[in-house]
Amino acid sequence: MFDNLTTKFQKVFRHLKGHGKLTEENIQEALREVRLALLEADVHYKVAKDFVKTIAQRAVGQEVMGSLTPGQQVIKIVNEALTDLMGGTAVPLDLTGPPPQVIVLVGLQGSGKTTTAGKLAFHLSKNKRRPCLVPADVYRPAAIDQLTTLAGQLKMPVYPSSSDQKPEHIVRDAVSFARQHQCDTLIVDTAGRLHIDQELMDELKRIEAVVKPQEMLLVADAMTGQDAVRVASSFHEALHITGVVLTKLDGDARGGAALSIKAVTGCPIKFVGVGEKLDALEVFHPDRMSSRILG
Ligand code: GDP
């Protein structure tokens, strides 16, 4: 994951560790390289600039810590700053209200919504919840079939949507269906488009108005870098997005989306997709991701 970025960071740190005492020049050089590494990883330029500024400020004010060398201190500062950049602490799903709770997945076509719906159902069932899957992409019958197949694999109830129903009616009726089947969580897969358009946003707003979901998660493809961040901003402006699921982190995504989304949109990443299989979903922990990136 993010191999290129890790290699670049390690190079900067190796260089710093070679010095017993760090000069202003050493630090400036390291900061320049960190900024370049972030830009190459497709991190938003303003995020990269602010990040380097934060590290510079923290490094200047540092007391010399007996147990750490100056190089190690810089690594510690970078690690903490990366963790903060990605939101600091993990933000769990908020499913505390009375059941059934509704989770709506939104995003562009191909971002991984349907797959994520199945993965999330599997994740929740391991956490003692009883999910029900709700296909609400009425434009692509294949999407309804895909989710129905996943529900079959998971042995979970799936609402029998039909492509002549309105998505907001599907979701409304699926709430009663969930109650009948003793399900405490609905996972709604919505339609995507290749690009954001008003029609899609209006449809999602109608779903939002009918069921008032506890969670509305944007599913975004990490491979698309800054585009994923722009998509997240647009969805967040139009809807009440409560978190992001960043998919395809197992591919050769450069890291820009993971590092910029929280800073640019204010929306926390709640899960990451790390493969096509149903168990390839991880709860997002900023501190663990930061340690992974730094290698
Ligand atoms: P949707 O159009 O948003 O519903 O997207 P799909 O769920 O159909 O996913 C599109 C493609 O991305 C499929 O081939 C999925 O198997 C794949 N996919 C989804 N999530 C991941 C992931 O985390 N890693 C990888 N490698 N592929 C994924």
Side-chain angles (χ1 to χ4, degrees):
M1 200 183 281
F2 312 152
D3 290 347
N4 220 348
L5 186 58
T6 302
T7 311
K8 294 256 165 58
F9 270 122
Q10 284 182 340
K11 192 171 151 234
V12 177
F13 295 151
R14 223 176 11 252
H15 198 70
L16 285 179
K17 278 187 195 156
H19 298 274
K21 197 166 177 299
L22 294 180
T23 63
E24 177 67 26
E25 202 181 328
N26 297 145
I27 295 190
Q28 286 309 328
E29 168 72 17
L31 290 179
R32 215 169 15 249
E33 284 179 30
V34 165
R35 189 167 155 272
L36 276 178
L38 292 175
L39 291 176
E40 275 179 39
D42 203 16
V43 170
H44 191 281
Y45 78 95
K46 193 167 177 312
V47 173
K49 193 171 154 212
D50 291 348
F51 181 78
V52 168
K53 205 163 123 195
T54 304
I55 298 181
Q57 281 164 353
R58 292 188 190 175
V60 168
Q62 274 296 304
E63 298 271 313
V64 176
M65 282 177 270
S67 58
L68 297 180
T69 65
Q72 285 169 331
Q73 283 188 38
V74 176
I75 297 174
K76 185 167 176 287
I77 292 169
V78 173
N79 193 353
E80 286 167 0
L82 272 181
T83 304
D84 291 348
L85 183 64
M86 290 183 284
T89 48
V91 184
L93 290 179
D94 178 11
L95 300 175
T96 46
Q101 306 271 300
V102 182
I103 303 173
V104 176
L105 300 180
V106 301
L108 293 186
Q109 194 174 313
S111 58
K113 277 183 309 301
T114 309
T115 314
T116 300
K119 289 178 181 178
L120 201 53
F122 183 55
H123 169 83
L124 291 176
S125 70
K126 283 191 298 181
N127 288 283
K128 308 219 167 0
R129 293 196 74 94
R130 280 187 50 84
C132 153
L133 288 158
V134 184
D137 180 354
V138 293
Y139 311 102
R140 282 195 316 140
I144 298 182
D145 295 345
Q146 192 184 339
L147 198 63
T148 307
T149 306
L150 286 174
Q153 285 171 16
L154 290 162
K155 301 191 174 45
M156 278 176 198
V158 56
Y159 178 77
S161 310
S162 122
S163 49
D164 54 11
Q165 285 176 286
K166 285 199 161 60
E168 60 270 31
H169 294 165
I170 291 179
V171 179
R172 182 197 58 200
D173 296 348
V175 175
S176 329
F177 176 88
R179 284 207 179 95
Q180 279 161 21
H181 287 77
Q182 287 84 43
C183 294
D184 54 20
T185 319
L186 286 87
I187 301 175
V188 181
D189 180 27
T190 61
R193 300 270 200 283
L194 289 176
H195 304 285
I196 292 168
D197 62 36
Q198 198 53 43
E199 209 182 323
L200 173 66
M201 289 303 173
D202 289 345
E203 176 176 314
L204 296 173
K205 279 183 193 166
R206 286 196 295 275
I207 293 179
E208 198 176 37
V210 167
V211 284
K212 307 210 171 24
Q214 278 71 35
E215 292 280 350
M216 189 170 247
L217 302 176
L218 171 76
V219 180
D221 178 347
M223 305 279 280
T224 62
Q226 281 310 300
D227 270 344
V229 182
R230 278 189 283 275
V231 166
S233 296
S234 305
F235 273 84
H236 192 41
E237 275 160 28
L239 305 161
H240 299 100
I241 301 294
T242 55
V244 175
V245 181
L246 201 57
T247 62
K248 310 188 195 180
L249 258 75
D250 52 310
D252 56 0
R254 286 180 287 166
L259 290 171
S260 313
I261 276 190
K262 173 70 171 71
V264 175
T265 67
C267 262
I269 299 175
K270 294 198 170 178
F271 293 95
V272 290
V274 291
E276 295 185 83
K277 300 224 175 78
L278 285 169
D279 61 356
L281 184 77
E282 294 178 5
V283 173
F284 182 71
H285 291 278
D287 53 345
R288 291 184 207 165
M289 181 57 80
S290 172
S291 301
R292 258 194 210 180
I293 290 172
L294 297 182

